[in-house]
Amino acid sequence: MKRIGIILMAAAMTLVATSCCNSGKKCGECGESCQCSEKTAAAEQPQNESKSKVVIARVNVKEGQEKAFIEVTSRLVEATRQEAGCLFYTLYQSPLNPTEFVFLEEYADQAAFEVHAASAHFAAFAEGTKDMTEGGIRVDEF
């Protein structure tokens, strides 16, 4: 995973220094009105400037509760994928530690995420899994 991140970072850095016009020169060196500085600035912006909302939620379940957790969660996943603002929503179970689960979520924007968090299916998930988890849900938002 670390290697992939390094490769992606190198590719992104390469994009910043490549030619943006027909002269073959690097951005800012061509002297043409090809908007080199605008392209360079755009290339330096973080990739998530689309204002989408990305969430990574980690959950540890009590040993022996994995199947029950998946059953309750499958209803959440199915319903969430039907939400208008949901771009991506899936659940992964660790192959190394079957009590560890990770939700990967992407919403069109903050408002779509808030609709999800206030939904009846999310409330049912929270209620249905409250005695199955250890340490609560750890959420990272991007």
Side-chain angles (χ1 to χ4, degrees):
M1 188 70 147
K2 191 174 187 179
R3 185 176 189 180
I4 292 170
I6 292 170
I7 292 169
L8 290 175
M9 185 170 31
M13 292 172 70
T14 302
L15 287 174
V16 172
T18 59
S19 172
C20 68
C21 61
N22 295 329
S23 72
K25 296 181 181 180
K26 292 182 180 179
C27 291
E29 296 177 351
C30 65
E32 296 179 22
S33 60
C34 64
Q35 303 168 347
C36 289
S37 59
E38 290 178 22
K39 290 184 181 183
T40 302
E44 292 172 352
Q45 293 297 316
Q47 294 298 317
N48 62 351
E49 285 295 314
S50 66
K51 302 205 187 225
S52 68
K53 177 76 169 188
V54 175
V55 176
I56 301 171
R58 295 170 181 85
V59 181
N60 281 33
V61 299
K62 296 175 183 173
E63 194 168 331
Q65 294 292 310
E66 300 91 345
K67 287 183 182 180
F69 181 80
I70 291 169
E71 184 179 313
V72 171
T73 303
S74 66
R75 293 188 290 271
L76 170 68
V77 170
E78 185 178 317
T80 301
R81 288 178 177 168
Q82 302 305 311
E83 294 173 4
C86 178
L87 303 177
F88 183 82
Y89 196 91
T90 196
L91 174 70
Y92 294 100
Q93 182 178 21
S94 170
L96 303 176
N97 184 351
T99 62
E100 292 181 13
F101 293 84
V102 175
F103 290 91
L104 297 181
E105 313 170 29
E106 184 173 7
Y107 303 91
D109 52 25
Q110 179 66 31
F113 172 68
E114 291 171 6
V115 166
H116 166 70
S119 68
H121 50 270
F122 185 80
F125 159 77
E127 180 62 29
T129 61
K130 69 180 180 182
D131 294 329
M132 296 179 193
T133 62
E134 294 182 324
I137 299 175
R138 296 166 314 280
V139 178
D140 292 315
E141 299 180 24
F142 301 90

